[in-house]
């Protein structure tokens, strides 16, 4: 690789990942990192001391998760805690390589008529809805949107 | 090994008790259960006290301060919504093991107001950013999983609430005694689709207690009103690739149910009534299948055919359930057993399930714990 390319390292002032399993490429592009058990190949988003599926302590291989998947289940949340804007769609999504994530389903009208389990979705990354920590730091979150949208 | 028995059991009317302590509420339930058994505090050899929100203040010892500090071993138990049943099970284990002849189980709760859930503390709030961790949403998602698989409808889920609210009109110890027609349930404020406000369990305070005794002690006291514990099963959530991103209340219930049926040497067909964990209307239908009351995918048809209503093939939640009787987390498990005991003793009044010989109780605490008990008329 050309050492003089514009590859930039992330700065301490850059937005932080809103979940531990959101990682950044050297160029700054976010992605989801999965962990695969070296014994039974179960996939998850964290590294338990021993694999919760098989009990092995052989460790995990990291992999870059698929950014497409299908909607497994959802709810349209009409009432939440104080300060949380509603409605929003809480979605359980099975990514194509076996990881299951929960997140907001966006860019679709929040009605049971428009949302269909089994529909193809893709992962997008964006600012964490303007939410900042005590130091004013901003965060990057993932969202899901219909795969057909704008394709 | 001889079975253990419930010699006495009772509960306080579920409601709001802001001016009473965990010790006072639990103590009152304990005394009622002891009176029911014809025993006194000096007969009790061990206390297991279940509470979620009181677990940091030694609620069991505070119960003893209310009913007599005899110095017996006291163990406080916390296991989310399965707390009361888990405390009961510890008492059952102590008696089954022959460590004591009389053990007391108390479940007591004072609930914070508002919606439960919300997830772990992080640098920024995740609620509404990565979906919702609120309990109404989590159980809505479980219901929608069933809907996607089997075509279960919003209306079918809502019918659960209509049924359980109807049952509660016959239960003076329920928080509410109020009919809620289908249009009212479906038209109530939407919390997390498909769960409307009337499809969410009622957040209340309460206490319940049971006196668990050995067979020897049960015979000594007389078996007229004794309840035989045929099975006590407790399971934690087994591995499932979606869990805990999507809390799995199904496989943990299937596991506990299987163990309970095996212990008792019985099947779902041998059960006459069921008190199950209807924390949200969506949850009740899932558990018809998880407990083997019908085949997979048939829960919607079961509620349509009134099979689980009082007078139906297998009445479910004739107490009004968590939806209308109320759900004080730590007390719920023992209150379910109290309901079943009433029916086995023929003391359930207007909501009596005719000729009830056996009943099953079920609770699920997210995180996840599931307890299933099978009780039988002695
Ligand atoms: Zn493994």
């Amino acid at each position: 690789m050309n050492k003089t390319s514009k590859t930039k390292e992330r700065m301490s002032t850059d937005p932080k990942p809103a979940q531990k399993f959101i990682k950044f490429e050297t160029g700054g592009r976010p992605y989801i990192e999965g962990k695969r058990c070296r014994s039974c190949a179960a996939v998850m988003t964290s590294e338990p001391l021993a694999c919760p599926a098989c009990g092995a302590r052989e460790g995990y291989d990291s992999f870059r998760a698929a950014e497409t998947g299908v909607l497994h289940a959802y709810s349209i949340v009409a009432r939440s805690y104080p300060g949380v804007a509603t409605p929003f769609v809480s979605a359980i999504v099975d990514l194509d390589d076996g990881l299951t994530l929960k997140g907001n389903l966006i860019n679709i009208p929040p009605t049971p008529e428009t949302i269909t389990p089994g529909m193809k979705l893709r992962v997008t990354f964006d600012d964490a809805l303007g939410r900042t920590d005590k130091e004013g730091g901003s965060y990057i979150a993932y969202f899901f949107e219909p795969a057909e949208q704008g394709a | 090994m001889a079975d253990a028995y419930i010699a006495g059991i009772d509960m306080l009317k579920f409601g709001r008790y802001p001016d009473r302590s965990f010790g006072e509420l639990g103590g009152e339930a304990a005394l009622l259960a002891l009176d029911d058994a014809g025993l006194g505090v000096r007969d009790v050899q061990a206390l297991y006290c279940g509470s979620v929100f009181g677990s940091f203040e030694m609620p069991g010892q505070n119960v003893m301060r209310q009913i007599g500090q005899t110095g017996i071993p006291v163990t406080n138990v916390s296991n989310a919504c399965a707390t009361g049943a888990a405390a009961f099970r510890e008492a059952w284990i102590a008696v089954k093991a022959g460590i004591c002849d009389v053990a007391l189980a108390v479940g007591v709760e004072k609930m914070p107001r508002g919606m439960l859930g919300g997830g772990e503390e992080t640098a920024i709030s995740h609620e509404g950013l990565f979906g919702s961790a609120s309990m109404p949403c989590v159980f809505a998602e479980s219901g929608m999983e069933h809907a996607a698989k089997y075509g279960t409808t919003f209306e079918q889920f809502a019918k659960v609430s209509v049924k359980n609210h109807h049952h509660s009109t016959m239960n003076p110890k329920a928080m509410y005694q109020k009919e809620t027609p289908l249009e009212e349930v479906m038209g109530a404020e939407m919390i997390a689709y498909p769960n409307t406000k009337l499809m969410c369990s009622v957040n209340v305070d309460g206490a319940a207690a049971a006196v668990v005794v050995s067979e020897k002690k049960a015979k000594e006291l007389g078996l007229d009103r004794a309840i035989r514990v045929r099975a006590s099963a407790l399971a934690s959530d087994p591995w499932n690739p979606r869990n805990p991103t999507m809390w799995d209340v199904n496989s943990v219930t299937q596991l506990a149910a299987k163990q309970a049926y095996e212990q008792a040497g019985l099947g779902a067909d041998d059960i006459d009534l069921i008190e199950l964990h209807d924390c949200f209307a969506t949850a009740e239908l899932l558990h018809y299948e998880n407990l083997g009351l019908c085949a997979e995918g048939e829960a919607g048809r079961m509620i349509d055919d009134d099979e689980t209503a009082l007078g139906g093939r297998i009445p479910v939640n004739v107490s009004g359930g968590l939806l209308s009787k109320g759900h004080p987390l730590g007390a719920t498990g023992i209150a379910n057993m109290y309901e079943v005991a009433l029916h086995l003793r023929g003391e359930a009044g207007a909501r009596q399930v005719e000729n009830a010989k056996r009943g099953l109780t079920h609770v699920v605490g997210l995180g996840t714990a599931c307890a299933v008990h099978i009780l039988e008329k002695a």
Side-chain angles (χ1 to χ4, degrees):
Chain A
M1 293 294 286
N2 182 355
K3 296 258 170 59
T4 62
S5 72
K6 287 179 191 139
T7 302
K8 75 173 174 48
E9 295 301 325
R10 286 181 55 75
M11 311 287 284
S12 60
T13 51
D14 285 344
K16 293 185 271 288
Q19 296 275 15
K20 283 183 188 149
F21 54 82
I22 297 175
K23 304 288 178 184
F24 297 93
E25 292 174 356
T26 326
R29 190 181 181 283
Y31 65 96
I32 306 282
E33 184 182 71
K35 302 287 176 181
R36 182 179 287 111
C37 170
R38 287 186 187 134
S39 176
C40 76
V43 294
M44 53 209 86
T45 52
S46 62
E47 293 191 4
L49 296 175
C51 171
C54 73
R57 285 186 259 169
E58 290 167 31
Y60 307 86
D61 292 315
S62 299
F63 66 97
R64 184 182 168 131
E67 294 187 358
T68 51
V70 297
L71 179 65
H72 177 69
Y74 73 97
S75 175
I76 302 156
V77 179
R79 198 212 272 185
S80 184
Y81 302 95
V84 178
T86 55
F88 62 90
V89 179
S90 178
I92 307 281
V93 178
D94 292 341
L95 298 183
D96 290 338
D97 51 16
L99 275 185
T100 297
L101 298 181
K102 183 173 210 168
N104 286 4
L105 173 56
I106 59 170
N107 296 331
I108 190 167
T111 66
E113 290 74 28
T114 47
I115 303 168
T116 317
M119 70 191 298
K120 289 192 161 59
L121 303 176
R122 71 172 165 225
V123 180
T124 66
F125 295 89
D126 207 340
D127 177 73
L129 304 176
R131 296 180 189 186
T132 54
D133 59 26
K134 287 198 287 284
E135 289 75 40
S138 60
Y139 287 78
I140 293 286
Y142 62 82
F143 301 88
F144 302 106
E145 64 179 12
E148 289 76 29
Q149 187 114 5
Chain B
M1 216 186 308
D3 273 328
Y5 290 72
I6 298 172
I9 187 163
D10 213 328
M11 66 178 272
L12 306 192
K13 176 180 161 63
F14 286 173
R16 306 260 150 78
Y17 298 102
D19 303 325
R20 303 190 62 199
S21 68
F22 283 93
E24 287 167 345
L25 292 172
E28 185 179 342
L31 290 177
L32 287 168
L34 284 170
D35 290 350
D36 187 40
L39 293 170
V41 70
R42 298 209 172 274
D43 298 307
V44 177
Q45 296 162 301
L47 166 65
Y48 297 90
C49 183
S51 184
V52 175
F53 293 99
S55 60
F56 295 110
E57 40 182 280
M58 302 293 263
Q61 285 79 350
N62 282 320
V63 165
M64 296 308 289
R65 280 187 188 87
Q66 296 289 328
I67 68 172
Q69 287 176 264
T70 56
I72 58 167
V74 171
T75 306
N76 294 295
V77 177
S78 190
N79 220 9
C81 303
T83 290
F88 176 91
R89 189 165 190 277
E90 291 301 316
W92 173 82
I93 290 170
V95 170
K96 284 281 276 188
I99 292 168
C100 51
D101 283 309
V102 180
L104 180 62
V106 173
V108 56
E109 204 64 80
K110 284 164 63 78
M111 298 286 289
R113 298 291 162 251
M115 206 155 49
L116 299 182
E120 56 188 306
E121 287 289 314
T122 43
I124 56 168
S125 167
H126 283 184
E127 181 66 21
L129 175 62
F130 295 108
S132 175
S134 78
M135 289 299 111
C137 174
V138 164
F139 283 92
E141 288 164 352
S142 293
M144 292 304 279
E145 180 183 55
H146 194 270
K149 227 165 148 184
Y150 303 115
T152 325
T153 64
F154 175 25
E155 182 174 325
Q156 287 170 327
F157 289 127
K159 281 179 177 173
V160 169
S161 208
V162 175
K163 169 181 73 73
N164 292 356
H165 279 97
H166 169 66
H167 287 160
S168 74
T169 62
M170 296 171 271
N171 182 1
K173 288 191 173 178
M175 172 72 182
Y176 295 121
Q177 290 85 18
K178 192 170 162 282
E179 298 282 358
T180 56
L182 186 62
E183 313 76 64
E184 196 180 323
V185 171
M186 294 178 75
E189 182 192 351
M190 185 57 71
I191 304 296
Y193 181 85
N195 282 326
T196 68
K197 190 167 188 188
L198 287 174
M199 295 160 73
C200 300
S201 54
V202 201
N203 204 338
V204 296
D205 307 329
V211 183
V212 183
V213 302
S214 63
E215 188 165 83
K216 187 182 98 203
K217 190 74 183 178
K219 284 180 174 160
E220 203 180 296
L221 292 166
L223 293 173
D224 287 2
R225 296 174 69 254
I227 304 295
R228 186 176 166 197
V229 184
R230 288 294 302 271
S232 171
L234 181 67
S236 62
D237 48 339
W239 164 256
N240 156 345
R242 288 196 190 94
N243 184 30
T245 299
M246 179 174 194
W247 290 111
D248 177 14
V249 297
N250 297 315
S251 51
V252 73
T253 295
Q254 291 158 12
L255 196 58
K258 182 169 177 284
Q259 287 166 9
Y261 289 135
E262 276 173 14
Q263 257 182 51
L266 297 167
D269 290 345
D270 301 310
I271 307 295
D272 301 309
L273 79 149
I274 290 184
E275 288 287 306
L276 63 73
H277 205 73
D278 60 329
C279 50
F280 295 89
T282 45
E284 178 165 318
L285 292 191
L286 309 180
H287 297 314
Y288 290 175
E289 293 165 25
N290 294 330
L291 295 172
L293 311 188
C294 63
E296 250 193 68
E298 282 189 11
R301 180 198 57 75
M302 261 192 110
I303 191 83
D304 282 342
D305 293 350
D306 294 327
E307 286 188 16
T308 55
L310 182 61
R313 180 171 68 83
I314 173 76
V316 171
N317 290 332
V318 288
S319 68
L322 283 52
L323 287 171
S324 190
K325 179 176 63 178
H327 183 24
L329 310 193
T332 294
I334 298 177
N336 286 353
M337 297 179 193
Y338 166 73
E339 179 70 16
V340 167
L342 279 183
H343 291 269
L344 301 183
R345 290 166 162 181
E347 296 170 0
R351 65 186 190 284
Q352 176 70 42
V353 173
E354 292 304 322
N355 300 314
K357 298 281 187 296
R358 290 188 200 101
L360 180 150
T361 64
H362 160 260
V363 283
V364 181
L366 273 203
T368 297
C370 175
V372 173
H373 286 84
I374 297 176
L375 307 179
E376 183 177 79
K377 192 176 160 61

